[in-house]
Amino acid sequence: MLLLVGWGFVSDCSRAKSYLKMRFMWKWHELDLFCIPRHYENDLDKVIIPHGLIMDRTERLARDIIQDMGGHHIVALCVLKGGYKFFADLLDYIKALNQNSDKSVPLTVDFIRVKSYCNDESTNSVKVIGGDELSNLRGKHFLFGLQDIVETGRTMQTLLSLLGECHPKMVKVVSLLVKRTPRSSGYRPDYIGFEVPDAFLVGYALDYNEYFRDLSHICILNDRAKEKYKV
Ligand code: IMP
Ligand code: MG
């Protein structure tokens, strides 16, 4: 998840409500069409979002965000660990836009670490276990929080209420993925990369008990692997 904070006026983000739906199983890809690390070959069912598509969608999110921020300073808050790849790639695209267009947006970064999952299940408690002092964000106008995936929405809602105590003028949330699940609280981030099916996904920094962050594509974890890496 990515959280962005900033200074100034943000226009109405109606485009932020659009996202790519990964709906049809027949559009998911066989593993042997892609380069998968040998050590994970037997652990995955399908590639659901290839790395190139993640990058293309992230590039567009960067453009939407820059346009909506209207040149004002933003603070990007990375929700670790799962958000680190998305955070780095999104910020690279924002930097490229800053370097190559008339309009540019000053950007600073902060990090927070939260933990809510054990195996493939939410523990029902969201623990903030490290990162920058949230009080650093006091008085900042626009905060953008970046998250890897929103499932129930509990992690982001907890974080938003903590951030609320710092009284930022505006907080926007960018999540690479949102899961279609009956467990959702109904919370929707301001910017969404992809809407994904109700399965446990790994890769592109999304983990299962810390494994699979070193996989480039977003894939569906199989049941054998859930047993193999269980804690
Ligand atoms: P939420 O609080 O239920 O929205 O869950 C969000 C957090 O749970 C994410 O930041 C991830 O750390 C973790 N999570 C939820 N679903 C998945 C998944 O499919 N794969 C990996 N991590 C997940
Ligand atoms: Mg995790």
Side-chain angles (χ1 to χ4, degrees):
M1 176 158 7
L2 170 96
L3 218 69
L4 296 173
V5 193
W7 292 262
F9 170 78
V10 175
S11 65
D12 168 48
C13 306
S14 50
R15 92 183 106 247
K17 298 297 171 196
S18 52
Y19 48 84
L20 238 163
K21 266 192 189 171
M22 311 313 283
R23 189 189 283 278
F24 303 110
M25 277 178 77
W26 52 266
K27 284 195 176 164
W28 304 347
H29 312 287
E30 296 301 331
L31 297 180
D32 55 10
L33 295 171
F34 292 88
C35 294
I36 304 288
R38 276 277 151 83
H39 52 279
Y40 292 144
E41 261 174 8
N42 299 321
D43 301 331
L44 307 166
D45 266 351
K46 295 271 180 177
V47 174
I48 175 163
I49 316 177
H51 184 254
L53 184 55
I54 301 171
M55 298 304 279
D56 291 341
R57 180 74 189 119
T58 303
E59 184 177 19
R60 178 56 198 249
L61 286 173
R63 197 176 95 179
D64 291 347
I65 289 167
I66 286 266
Q67 282 176 358
D68 294 342
M69 292 311 291
H72 298 290
H73 185 176
I74 56 180
V75 178
L77 178 68
C78 176
V79 183
L80 294 169
K81 294 180 186 174
Y84 91 89
K85 279 293 295 166
F86 179 47
F87 182 83
D89 288 332
L90 185 69
L91 263 57
D92 276 352
Y93 281 121
I94 291 179
K95 267 165 43 191
L97 287 168
N98 274 342
Q99 281 160 197
N100 296 302
S101 58
D102 297 337
K103 251 183 24 180
S104 71
V105 178
L107 192 67
T108 51
V109 297
D110 268 283
F111 298 88
I112 186 167
R113 181 154 177 222
V114 296
K115 191 162 173 60
S116 62
Y117 260 63
C118 182
N119 299 322
D120 59 343
E121 280 180 17
S122 169
T123 57
N124 285 330
S125 84
V126 181
K127 284 199 202 104
V128 176
I129 53 174
D132 291 340
E133 280 288 319
L134 284 182
S135 56
N136 291 343
L137 303 171
R138 192 168 293 281
K140 301 285 166 63
H141 289 211
F142 298 135
L143 176 60
F144 267 78
L146 286 92
Q147 190 172 4
D148 50 355
I149 182 165
V150 169
E151 184 175 6
T152 61
R154 212 176 296 124
T155 305
M156 209 11 117
Q157 283 171 316
T158 306
L159 212 52
L160 286 173
S161 70
L162 284 174
L163 290 170
E165 292 167 16
C166 303
H167 305 293
K169 295 253 165 59
M170 171 155 315
V171 181
K172 295 279 177 193
V173 175
V174 190
S175 185
L176 177 64
L177 310 174
V178 170
K179 212 179 262 190
R180 266 192 309 279
T181 169
R183 293 181 299 287
S184 166
S185 63
Y187 168 76
R188 301 291 278 188
D190 300 288
Y191 299 85
I192 300 169
F194 303 86
E195 193 190 72
V196 292
D198 195 2
F200 199 80
L201 305 179
V202 291
Y204 194 69
L206 276 84
D207 73 309
Y208 178 78
N209 294 333
E210 298 302 328
Y211 291 93
F212 302 99
R213 297 199 201 273
D214 55 335
L215 167 70
S216 300
H217 315 291
I218 295 178
C219 301
I220 298 190
L221 191 67
N222 66 30
D223 290 338
R224 256 190 332 246
K226 285 182 191 170
E227 275 308 309
K228 179 172 159 191
Y229 299 99
K230 205 173 194 135
V231 292

